[in-house]
Amino acid sequence: MNELFASGRAVDIVLAVMLIEVVVLTMRGRDAMTMIIAVLPGAMILLGTRAALTGAAWPIVAAAFAASFPLHLLDLRRRGL
């Protein structure tokens, strides 16, 4: 179990589930771009977490986390909030 997290594979699994979710919702008639924009902030947080778990340099971790905020604002704007 330690290796699953230390290698970042746990994050990869969550990202794969998110991708499947986007595909399924798009196949059920949801707008693909809306779905992608909705999951991007979370995906960036997960990528930052993966970078931190695997020992990446702090600027890479910080950049991934920082990128999630403008993407979140974009999602809110598209939803009219």
Side-chain angles (χ1 to χ4, degrees):
M1 198 62 145
N2 285 337
E3 180 60 26
L4 182 67
F5 285 91
S7 68
R9 297 288 182 239
V11 174
D12 295 340
I13 293 167
V14 175
L15 287 169
V17 170
M18 289 173 66
L19 177 62
I20 292 168
E21 178 182 21
V22 168
V23 169
V24 168
L25 289 173
T26 301
M27 289 173 53
R28 290 186 177 181
R30 298 281 180 107
D31 179 53
M33 187 57 67
T34 300
M35 292 293 96
I36 291 169
I37 290 173
V39 300
L40 273 177
M44 293 309 296
I45 291 171
L46 285 167
L47 289 173
T49 302
R50 186 183 198 289
L53 287 171
T54 58
W58 74 264
I60 294 172
V61 176
F65 286 138
S68 70
F69 183 63
L71 291 169
H72 176 62
L73 293 177
L74 175 64
D75 180 36
L76 291 175
R77 184 171 182 218
R78 284 186 56 100
R79 293 175 189 239
L81 301 174

